[in-house]
Amino acid sequence: MAHIHSDVCEMQLNGVSEGIDLLQIDVETDVVEDRPGREDAFSRNVLRKQRNWERQLAAKKSKRKEEKQRRKLHREQESGARADNPQFTKRVMKAITKERLAEAQSTGLKLCVDLSMTDSMSDKEISRLAGQLRRLYGSNKKAVRPFHIFLTDLREDSRVYRECLRMNDGFLNYMMDITEDSCLNLFPPETIVYLTPDAEEALETVDADKVYVLGGLVDESIQKKLSFSRARDLSVQTARLPIDEYMVKKDNIKNFHSKILAVNQVFDILVTFCNTGSWTEALQAWFPQGKGYVVAQGDSLQLPFSPTQT
């Protein structure tokens, strides 16, 4: 009786095993039948992701290379400023910086930030402009040859004045001239060069006998030719940074290209050009990568810079 029961159990187990085998065959058959189409779709997705990954990797490598070059140039500039006395303490360096800025107010190259257009700006734009002025002053403090900075058309009852006081510690102690007067009230019109991206002529050199004016403007609505119109109203000479002469558009996914720079970015480019005499180095160091331009390869033309300051 036990023997018969054992045979029955074995037959049942064999039946279950055969059923499982049949199910497995059916499933495998379905997988085999569906695989070709799925493999094609899977391959396309893999290739697309690989191409995207390769593009991102190339962009990151390019960005790292440019950042490395920027840091190298910045280190060289800072080491050049401190090479004579690298052992100086922070207090001594602060005194040297103050003395250098004081000398610039007597003999330095002159640069005005025209703040006459701030009434049309939003509160957010005013706040951004105040931050740009802080960074501009910080760059001037670090410069080997600082500029004599003027903030013109800056009224004490204006929003930008109040925002500069709020955002910038020690703003009233900045070693720069703050005035309600226009640049035309301070300098002869024939000496003024208004820097605007819409000018026809490119700036070739920085002349000690000229006064350079930057439009103090943050315009998120991208109104056209505001600084150029302001320069035309003043009837003064205009010039633009030589971006077209030294840079080319690079391919990017957004196809975005812009020559509009912040006030402090333009200033950093001018300072670096005055130190190196090279627009290539200046633009490569400070022109923002997100603007869609890169310095043309092999272009190392040195444009003249007059070191005599009057």
Side-chain angles (χ1 to χ4, degrees):
M1 188 70 178
H3 178 71
I4 293 173
H5 179 72
S6 176
D7 290 342
V8 170
C9 290
E10 185 175 354
M11 289 175 62
Q12 291 176 344
L13 290 174
N14 289 338
V16 171
S17 177
E18 290 177 359
I20 292 174
D21 291 341
L22 288 173
L23 288 173
Q24 185 173 3
I25 291 173
D26 291 341
V27 171
E28 289 178 350
T29 302
D30 292 340
V31 171
V32 171
E33 289 177 353
D34 292 343
R35 185 172 297 169
R38 293 186 179 183
E39 282 185 348
D40 291 342
F42 178 76
S43 299
R44 286 195 298 271
N45 288 333
V46 169
L47 289 174
R48 185 169 59 253
K49 290 179 180 179
Q50 172 120 9
R51 285 194 293 268
N52 289 335
W53 180 80
E54 289 175 351
R55 282 196 296 266
Q56 293 175 5
L57 183 62
K60 288 180 180 180
K61 286 183 178 179
S62 177
K63 185 176 181 179
R64 284 197 298 267
K65 183 178 179 181
E66 292 178 3
E67 285 296 330
K68 185 177 180 181
Q69 292 173 340
R70 288 172 186 258
R71 289 195 297 268
K72 180 180 178 182
L73 180 59
H74 296 168
R75 285 196 301 269
E76 290 174 352
Q77 291 176 348
E78 291 182 359
S79 62
R82 302 175 183 176
D84 295 336
N85 297 286
Q87 75 280 8
F88 283 169
T89 63
K90 290 183 178 180
R91 178 178 296 180
V92 174
M93 288 303 302
K94 185 177 181 179
I96 292 175
T97 298
K98 187 174 182 179
E99 181 180 351
R100 189 184 296 126
L101 290 172
E103 183 179 356
Q105 289 184 306
S106 300
T107 62
L109 293 162
K110 297 176 178 62
L111 182 136
C112 299
V113 180
D114 177 15
L115 298 170
S116 65
M117 297 174 283
T118 57
D119 288 342
S120 62
M121 293 165 54
S122 68
D123 290 341
K124 180 180 178 182
E125 291 168 341
I126 291 289
S127 181
R128 288 182 58 190
L129 177 59
Q132 292 175 13
L133 294 176
R134 181 182 66 248
R135 289 188 285 274
L136 182 151
Y137 181 67
S139 295
N140 202 44
K141 287 172 61 177
K142 296 177 182 178
V144 177
R145 288 187 294 186
F147 278 69
H148 183 185
I149 305 294
F150 298 80
L151 301 185
T152 62
D153 295 275
L154 181 55
R155 305 185 313 273
E156 291 188 7
D157 62 347
S158 65
R159 289 180 300 153
V160 66
Y161 185 89
R162 292 193 297 269
E163 193 67 3
C164 284
L165 290 178
R166 186 185 71 83
M167 290 186 59
N168 305 338
D169 292 337
F171 175 72
L172 295 180
N173 295 322
Y174 280 7
M175 296 187 69
M176 59 171 63
D177 288 19
I178 300 174
T179 176
E180 295 185 2
D181 289 331
S182 164
C183 57
L184 281 182
N185 299 126
L186 302 175
F187 307 103
E190 63 272 14
T191 66
I192 296 175
V193 179
Y194 207 113
L195 298 180
T196 167
D198 299 302
E200 293 183 3
E201 298 294 328
L203 184 66
E204 294 184 354
T205 186
V206 177
D207 190 342
D209 295 327
K210 297 292 185 180
V211 179
Y212 297 92
V213 181
L214 306 181
L217 181 68
V218 175
D219 180 26
E220 295 183 344
S221 63
I222 315 297
Q223 301 180 52
K224 299 296 184 181
K225 299 186 177 181
L226 287 177
S227 59
F228 183 77
S229 297
R230 169 63 173 165
R232 188 171 53 190
D233 292 340
L234 296 173
S235 299
V236 296
Q237 179 185 351
T238 60
R240 57 175 172 80
L241 292 178
I243 297 171
D244 292 334
E245 287 72 17
Y246 289 88
M247 307 189 81
V248 294
K249 293 181 179 180
K250 67 177 180 180
D251 295 332
N252 58 70
I253 298 174
K254 296 182 179 180
N255 195 31
F256 175 75
H257 303 91
S258 175
K259 303 173 187 176
I260 309 299
L261 303 180
V263 172
N264 58 295
Q265 292 169 342
V266 177
F267 180 76
D268 286 333
I269 291 172
L270 289 177
V271 169
T272 303
F273 171 72
C274 290
N275 289 338
T276 64
S278 170
W279 285 116
T280 298
E281 289 189 38
L283 291 168
Q284 188 167 13
W286 295 108
F287 196 92
Q289 298 176 24
K291 296 291 183 177
Y293 284 84
V294 292
V295 172
Q297 296 298 319
D299 191 352
S300 59
L301 178 63
Q302 303 282 322
L303 290 180
F305 165 63
S306 174
T308 303
Q309 299 180 359
T310 59

